Amino acid sequence: MTTATPKKMTMMQLTVVVAVNMMGSGIIMLPTNMAQVGAISLLSWIVTALGSMAIAYGFAQAGIFNQRPGGMAAYAEDAYGKGGYFVTFLLYFFSLAIGNVAIAISAVGYLAGFFPAMSATPIATCLSVIGLIWLTTVANFGGPSITGKLGQVTVWGVIIPVAGLSIIGWFWFKSDVFMQAWNPKGLKLLEGMGSSIALTLWAFLGMESAAQNSDAVENPKRDVPLACMFGTLGAAVVYVLSTTVIQGIVPNAELAKSTGPFAAAYAQMFNPTIGSIIMGLAVLACLGSLLGWQFTIAQTAKSAAAERLFPSVFSKENRLGAPVAGMVIMGIVQTGMALSTISPTLSEQFSALVNLAVVTNVIPYIISLSALAVMMKAAKVSDAVFKRNMVISVIATLYSTYAIFASGKDAVLGGMIVIALTYILYGFLAPRFSGAAAEATLRPSARAAGAAAAAVALALGFALAMLLPSPAIAQGASRAQSAAPVSLVDSAKRSGKLALGYYTNARPFSYNDETGKPAGYAVELCQKAAELAKQALGLVPVEVVWTPVTRENRVAMLRDGKIQVLCGEPATLSARRDMAFSIPVFQGGIAALLRGDAPAALTKALAERPGPAGPLWRGTPTQQLLQAQTLAVVADSVAEKQLAERLAKVQLTAKVVTVKDFAAGVQAVLERKASVFFGERSMLLDAAKRSGKAGDLTVLERRFTIAPVAFALRRGDEDGRLGIDRALSRIYVMPEFRAMYAKWFGDPDESAAAFFRAVVLPE
C-alpha cells in the first residue's frame, strides 16, 4: 500500500499567499495611518516601492541559487554557517509570532463593528484575539493545499474593496479634497516622506513568505522567484492607487479617525449599507492574512527542526502535510503573547507590537540578502549578472537599514534585546555544529540534554521577550495598569528630549513660517520658558524638539508622552478635564469681525456692552436684527462652543456656519456668505491683515468673553507645571518680554500690562 503524496501549492496559489500576507491587514488600515500625516505621505511610496521591489528581487535571485528548505535562514547559512541560519530563523520566527497577534488585534477591531461585545472589556478583547488565533491555527490543519485554496477565497476581501476602489474610486475623486489633505501638519517635503516609511514598509512585510514556503510548492526553482516578484509588484500597484484615490474621497480629518477607511470611502460613494459590506470583507481579509501567516510560521519552525535547530516535534506532519504539533505549540505561544492585550490601550499595544515586528523582520532581510554574493560565487554566474544583482542587493540592504532607523529607538531597543536572547539560545546548540569529531562524540544523553536545554532556553527567550518589552510597549502597559502620570522631568530624562507641541495654523500664536519652521508668539515664549525650565529642573543636556499637533490629537499626544508641553491652548474648564495648565501666557478673548460697510445698527449692537441688568444683545430690536444674520465660527473651536452658549442664553436662533480656519472665516465675510465672524481677537486681526483686504474689514474692540491662553501639560504633572510656571514668572518681569509681546501684537496697553503683572507668581 502506497502513501499518497500530500498536494503542494501551485505557483498561482503561492503568489496569492504572498499577496494576502502583505495586503491582508496592512493595506486595510493604511489610509487611516497615512492620513494622520497627510497626503504628502503618499510620496513615501517612491522610496518604499523601490526598496521593497529591490528586496523582492534579491529574494527572487536567492531562490534561484538556493532551493533548500528554510528560505531566508538557508540563504544566510551560505555565508554565515549555522549561526547565521539560526539568528535569521529565530528573529524572523519571533517577528511572525508578534505580527500574528497584532493582526488578530486588528481583526477584532473590525469584528467589533458587528459584534461590540468582542471588545466591550479588556478581557473580552483578549479572549476574542485568542479565539481568532486558534481558529486560524486549526484551519491550517488541512495542509498546504487547503491553506492555498482558503487564501484564494479570503483574498477577495482585499481585492474587492481595495482593487475596486483603485479602479472606480476615481469617479468620486475630488481634487479640492485631496489638496486640503496634502499637508495638514505643514511638514517639509523630506520630513513628510520619511514619517511614513515605517507605515508603508509594514504593508510590504510578507514578500519573503514565498521563500519561507519553498518546500511546500511544486516547483520551487521556478515558482518561488515568480511568486515573490508578482506578489510584490501587484501589491505595490494596488497600494499606490488605493491610498491616493481615497485621500480625494474622504476628508482628511474624517479619514485620520476612521477605524474602517475603505468602508468609509464606500459609504461616502454609495451608502452606509455598502460601507458595512466592505467592513465585512475587511474582516475576511484580516482572517485570510492571519491564516497565511499561521501557515508560514509553522513551515518556518518545521524547516528549523529539520536542521536540528528546533525540537523535532515541530517537523512532524499529518497525512495532509501540515505540521500540526508545531502549529499547536505556536498557538500556545501566541496565546501567551495575546495576554498582553488585556489593556484599555489596545491601539497602543497594536502599534508597539507592529514596530517591534518590523525591526525583527527586517534584520533577517539584511542578513540573508548580504549572503547573495556568496551564492553567486558558488554558482559561478557571469560578471554582468553578479554586478547587477549586487547593485540591487546593496540598494535593498541600505533601504532595510533605513527602515530600521525609521521604526524608532524603542523598537530598535526591543529588537536588540531579542538578538541578545537569540545568541544566548544558540550557545546551547553550537556544540552540535562544531565539527565532525564533536558530532561523533556527542553522546545520546548529551544530545537529549542539549535539546532539552535548547527548548528551555527558547521558552525563557519568549518569556523574557514578553516580560522585557520595548519601552514603547512598557509605556503602553504602564498607562493601562496605573493612573499615575509620567512627569515632564521623567519623560525628558528617559527620552533625552523635551518635546514641545504647537499648532501649525494658529497665527500669530504658532504656525509654520516660509521655511517650514515653527514661529509665533507662543512658540517664541515657549522656547524661552523651556530653556529656563531645563535649568531649574536639571534637564540642561535635554534637547528641545518641536512637534506639530492638531486639535484632534493634542490630548492623546500629551497623555502618551509624545509631547511634554503644548505651547498655546485656551485654558477652559472643559479642557482641564484632560490637561493641566500653566499660568496664562495671553489675555485671550472672543471678538467679532465684520465688513467695513456692515449696517451701522449691527456694528453698534455688537460693539456696545449691555447694561448690568440688560439682555446680552440689548433689547428686542437688536435681537430681531441678529436673528437675520449668518454668523461664522471655526469648527470645533472654543469660540464655537461659547457662541452656541450665548445664543441659547438669549434664545436666538441665528444661522451659524462653521469654517475650517480663520482665513476661510475672513473670506466668508468678504464674500457676504456670513455677516459676522467670531474668534480669538488677535487671530482675527492677523487673518484680516493677511487677507490683503484689511481696509474692507473691521475687528471690534469688544471682547465677548475672556479666554486666557496658557501652556498645557499632562494632567497631574505638578512638577512639570511648577517648572514652567516658575520660568514664565521670571520671563514676565524681564525687560525683553515687552519687546517679545510687541513683536506680535504691538506695544501692550495698560490692560495687557496689568494682566501680566497679575498672573506672575511670587516665590
Side-chain angles (χ1 to χ4, degrees), residues 35 37-40 176-184 247-248 250-253:
V37 177
I40 191 173
D176 59 330
V177 173
F178 182 83
M179 292 309 299
Q180 290 173 10
W182 177 247
N183 193 6
Q247 290 274 10
V250 183
N252 189 72

Side-chain angles (χ1 to χ4, degrees), residues 68-78 80-91 93 299-315 421-434 439 447 450-459 462:
R68 298 195 312 276
M72 290 189 295
Y75 305 158
E77 185 181 12
D78 283 356
Y80 306 107
K82 285 296 181 184
Y85 184 107
F86 183 75
V87 171
T88 302
F89 150 71
L90 195 60
L91 285 174
F93 189 74
Q299 287 296 125
T300 303
K302 188 187 80 169
S303 299
E307 296 290 328
R308 297 169 54 227
L309 290 168
F310 236 37
S312 60
V313 66
F314 285 90
S315 64
L421 293 171
T422 301
Y423 277 103
I424 292 172
L425 178 55
Y426 186 66
F428 289 94
L429 302 175
R432 64 176 62 178
F433 305 112
S434 60
E439 179 68 21
R447 292 170 184 268
V456 171
L458 177 63
F462 277 112

Side-chain angles (χ1 to χ4, degrees), residues 567-653:
C567 300
E569 178 74 14
T572 62
L573 289 174
S574 58
R576 287 181 182 275
R577 290 197 300 261
D578 301 311
M579 297 174 281
F581 286 94
S582 69
I583 60 176
V585 300
F586 186 77
Q587 185 184 19
I590 306 302
L593 177 144
L594 306 86
R595 290 186 304 277
D597 61 355
L602 176 61
T603 302
K604 181 179 179 181
L606 293 172
E608 292 184 357
R609 297 182 181 277
L616 180 67
W617 300 111
R618 295 181 62 81
T620 301
T622 299
Q623 287 181 329
Q624 293 175 348
L625 173 64
L626 292 169
Q627 192 88 357
Q629 308 302 319
T630 297
L631 313 178
V633 67
V634 174
D636 298 323
S637 65
V638 173
E640 181 185 19
K641 181 179 179 181
Q642 293 182 343
L643 177 61
E645 291 173 351
R646 289 298 181 98
L647 292 176
K649 183 177 179 180
V650 296
Q651 300 180 349
L652 282 178
T653 57

Side-chain angles (χ1 to χ4, degrees), residues 21 50 93 150 175 195 278 284 362 388 393 480 515-516 536 618 650:
N21 282 353
L50 290 175
F93 189 74
L150 288 174
S175 58
S195 65
I278 297 302
L284 184 68
V362 170
R388 180 193 67 208
S393 177
T515 65
R618 295 181 62 81
V650 296

